[in-house]
Amino acid sequence: MISILNKLIPAETNLPWLAKVTMLLILVLLPFILSSYGLSLLTKVLIFGLFAMSLDILVGFTGLVSFNHASFFGVAAYTVGILVNRGFENFWLLLIPGIAIALLLAGLLGLLILRSSGAYFLMITLAFGQMLFALAWKWRSLTGGDDDGLPGIGRPEIGLPISMWNEQNFYFLVLILFIGSFLLIKKVIKSPFGKSIVGTRENELRMQSLGYNTWLIKYISYIIAAGFAALAGILYTYFNGFISPQELDWSMSGYILLMVIIGGAGTLVGPVVGAAVIIILQNLISTYTELWPLFMGLIFILCVLFARDGIVGSLLKLYQKKVGEMK
Amino acid sequence: MKRKYILKIIIILLIVPLLFFIGCTKNNQNSINTVDKEKTPAAESKKIKVGVLLPYTGVFADLAENNERGMRIAFEEAAAENNNYQIVMIKEDTEATPNVGLQKAKKLVLSDKVDLIIGIVSSSVAYAVKDFVDQQKIPVIITVSEARELTREKGSPYIFRTFLAAGQADYPFGKYANENLGYKTAVIMGPDYAAGHEKADAFIQGFTEAGGQIVQEIYPPLGSSDYGPYLSQLKQADFVWTFLGGGNDAIKFVKQYEEYGIKAKMPLLFSGGGVDESILPSIGDAAIGIVSVSNYSALLDTPENKELVKATTNKYNIVPNQFLNAGYVAAKTALSAIDKLEGNIEEKDKFLKALKSVEFPAPQGLFRFHPESQNGIFDAYIRRVEKLSDGTLGNVVIDKIPNVTDRW
């Protein structure tokens, strides 16, 4: 059983260690080469990469296409934003309520949402996502509503004599949390629990007959995914120094879903690549033409035609084929 | 298999020319060098980069375009006059969403190194950008965004506005409706969002302070497709005040207002863009007789406005409107401060000071900022839609309330 499941998880872990070290080195060295605007884009890519990775736990590994992932992102962002505006400063302490509220919310919503599957799952997640969006929009006294938003959040206070207003320092904070989360998610995916998630995706009935509680498996993975989305949301709050209800909107969930699909669902690295491609392209193209949505659309069509498994997914397949041929 | 290949080839054939098209349009779309190339400016003339931050896609696209037209006219006028510097406009699309707006502001400031930013229509974008421009010390001249707090408690020394703040003209207009037009009772009808409420509140305050009475308040959601249900519940009063900013909303509303036969019973008073020159042709005769307040009318009889009308008709074949004028005045404001420093815009403190003390004849009259709020001081023009001698509709100025500020 386990050996079959191993095959179902794409073999990105089999990449040579040299490739991994190079990637890490690039991420560490890039801020010294890039312009300050490039650095701000790169920081955004990492934050959204983390966000997309967390959604990948659901979409890629658990096989649940969720349309309210932005809720956890946004709720955590608002929690931290509101607390900062009330005078709480320590970043590490603020992480606790931010993530806890998202976990709690996921625990509650999961009870309701996971009763359905397929298209109904998608619709009910959309419904709950929009409800929270409306709440943020209308609850003006707490969230500032749509017009004002929640400005003036500034940068995190991490308890060290390092100023996070320096873009490079902030980038490294994001990078450390990003890599930590990446390793953690990977650990979860490779654990027996991770295998059971994939098993549930592939054949829920069979897993049930093997004695697994598949509902609980999905429930836990939903909560885990929410936790990492919350971390991304908190970082994004500090990155922008500002939150608006837009961060909870379904379009945000859709945006992240696109990143996962373009990069390659179920690969973990893929969503990060997807985030990079979408954010950088969108910023580049919209600088040149007002018709940028047209070109983004064309790129998506291209991806669907030529890279069904996403960019990373397709490359991995190619790589595996090559390795297989060599053997 | 063959079919699949053909499909792929077709797609490639489609995409290659499109990419080529992006490459070609780069220079026209992005940086607009407003200096006439044939005149070859003095070799040492320096470049001043102006970031134009507007919602080119989405509901405000039309408004953004008019803003940009105004700026372009002003910058071209300046380019024809002097050779000390040349203005380069760098356009970015905010999509009217705050996080995109902020990202684009970062791009303009950090990557393009713009000297100042002009534009911004949505208040949410303005608030999102505020902390960043504060920190980077980049002056921003807001062309449209009306949120009152932007030039009050939540203001910033770097934020200026060359447009009416929400309530700025509505408060005196409320007083005017009672004192000069002699109305005693009013029905208030505004779109249900922040700016709608801010304007309605200001009008109500003015109207009631003068002694008027509010009979009814209705707030339909923004973008309603049918105003019938709201119109049928209107109570009888001396008039109906409204502010339906978006073009389509106003067109539907004004037409239905006449179709329901209410126009004959209760006159309509408009604040702001509802009977703007840009949409008057679409509303048609249903608009005749509507009284509105604005800081601009294309029919204003000043030499500066006549020039603007001439330039706009020549270049774009339209009559200027308040949003075009707003862009024009914002650009003129920047130019007048730049001229004062003879182009040395790098001296930020001096530039801020120059901006603050700007004074020049604008199409709507003498333009200057309120020294504390950094919001423009305007004459509020009371205008009535009438059929002009050439058969088109226009906002005829019937009165004016001089020197309204955003601090009342």
Side-chain angles (χ1 to χ4, degrees), chain B residues 164-182:
Chain B
L164 289 166
Q168 183 171 353
D170 311 300
Y171 173 74
F173 189 40
K175 283 204 154 141
Y176 184 88
N178 182 281
E179 287 165 0
N180 300 52
L181 299 176

Side-chain angles (χ1 to χ4, degrees), chain A residues 9 56 58 77 80 112-113 134 151 157 176 182 186 190 194 201 218 234 248 253 258 289 327:
Chain A
I9 300 173
D56 196 25
L58 287 182
V80 170
L112 300 165
I113 285 174
E157 203 62 58
I176 289 166
F182 178 73
K186 207 162 167 184
K190 291 186 96 183
R201 177 193 73 191
K218 286 196 277 185
I234 294 169
L248 284 149
S253 299
L258 266 181
T289 167
K327 277 175 189 164

Side-chain angles (χ1 to χ4, degrees), chain A:
Chain A
M1 183 71 199
I2 296 294
S3 64
I4 302 170
L5 289 177
N6 254 338
K7 276 186 190 152
L8 290 172
I9 300 173
E12 44 100 1
T13 43
N14 298 342
L15 276 182
W17 63 271
L18 196 67
K20 289 181 192 167
V21 173
T22 324
M23 269 205 277
L24 187 66
L25 216 63
I26 289 174
L27 283 178
V28 171
L29 289 180
L30 264 180
F32 299 104
I33 308 163
L34 285 175
S35 67
S36 45
Y37 175 62
L39 185 61
S40 111
L41 268 190
L42 187 63
T43 315
K44 192 175 174 187
V45 165
L46 281 191
I47 294 171
F48 275 89
L50 172 58
F51 189 14
M53 253 181 349
S54 74
L55 182 60
D56 196 25
I57 301 176
L58 287 182
V59 175
F61 294 100
T62 324
L64 295 171
V65 181
S66 163
F67 241 103
N68 76 331
H69 210 53
S71 305
F72 310 118
F73 182 81
V75 164
Y78 266 113
T79 309
V80 170
I82 289 163
L83 286 175
V84 168
N85 278 352
R86 304 263 150 101
F88 294 89
E89 276 180 349
N90 190 307
F91 173 66
W92 308 106
L93 286 180
L94 281 171
L95 281 180
I96 299 168
I99 294 175
I101 283 199
L103 293 179
L104 203 72
L105 184 71
L108 282 174
L109 287 185
L111 290 176
L112 300 165
I113 285 174
L114 286 168
R115 288 168 183 280
S116 54
S117 60
Y120 301 102
F121 178 82
L122 202 141
M123 278 164 70
I124 199 165
T125 51
L126 183 62
F128 277 111
Q130 285 308 90
M131 249 181 247
L132 287 163
F133 166 68
L135 192 69
W137 182 290
K138 284 284 174 190
W139 197 348
R140 289 189 64 90
S141 55
L142 190 70
T143 63
D146 169 50
D147 266 44
D148 299 7
L150 210 60
I153 291 159
R155 282 288 156 87
E157 203 62 58
I158 58 164
L160 291 172
I162 302 171
S163 167
M164 283 297 143
W165 287 101
N166 180 325
E167 295 296 331
Q168 273 184 15
N169 293 345
F170 184 69
Y171 169 79
F172 282 114
L173 176 72
V174 172
L175 183 64
I176 289 166
L177 288 171
F178 172 81
I179 291 174
S181 309
F182 178 73
L183 294 176
L184 214 61
I185 295 176
K186 207 162 167 184
K187 192 132 193 155
V188 171
I189 296 297
K190 291 186 96 183
S191 70
F193 172 72
K195 301 253 157 53
S196 64
I197 293 179
V198 179
T200 312
R201 177 193 73 191
E202 286 302 314
N203 194 336
E204 193 169 344
L205 217 58
R206 194 165 161 195
M207 286 296 282
Q208 279 169 354
S209 54
L210 282 172
Y212 287 94
N213 182 349
T214 55
W215 182 87
L216 190 67
I217 289 172
K218 286 196 277 185
Y219 185 61
I220 293 175
S221 98
Y222 190 69
I223 293 178
I224 293 176
F228 286 106
L231 180 60
I234 294 169
L235 289 176
Y236 192 55
T237 311
Y238 283 118
F239 172 67
N240 271 349
F242 171 87
I243 328 163
S244 72
Q246 228 67 48
E247 263 78 81
L248 284 149
D249 193 23
W250 72 270
S251 56
M252 179 62 105
S253 299
Y255 191 53
I256 295 301
L257 200 58
L258 266 181
M259 291 175 184
V260 174
I261 293 168
I262 295 289
T267 57
L268 218 50
V269 181
V272 185
V273 174
V277 167
I278 289 184
I279 290 173
I280 293 172
L281 275 183
Q282 191 174 343
N283 274 286
L284 273 183
I285 301 177
S286 67
T287 301
Y288 294 128
T289 167
E290 283 160 31
L291 299 174
W292 62 268
L294 179 71
F295 294 100
M296 293 305 284
L298 279 176
I299 288 164
F300 297 151
I301 293 175
L302 276 185
C303 274
V304 171
L305 280 179
F306 296 101
R308 284 273 166 89
D309 301 300
I311 296 167
V312 172
S314 303
L315 286 177
L316 273 177
K317 261 196 182 160
L318 218 67
Y319 174 74
Q320 277 166 338
K321 218 172 161 185
K322 280 267 162 69
V323 171
E325 275 167 12
M326 278 200 288
K327 277 175 189 164

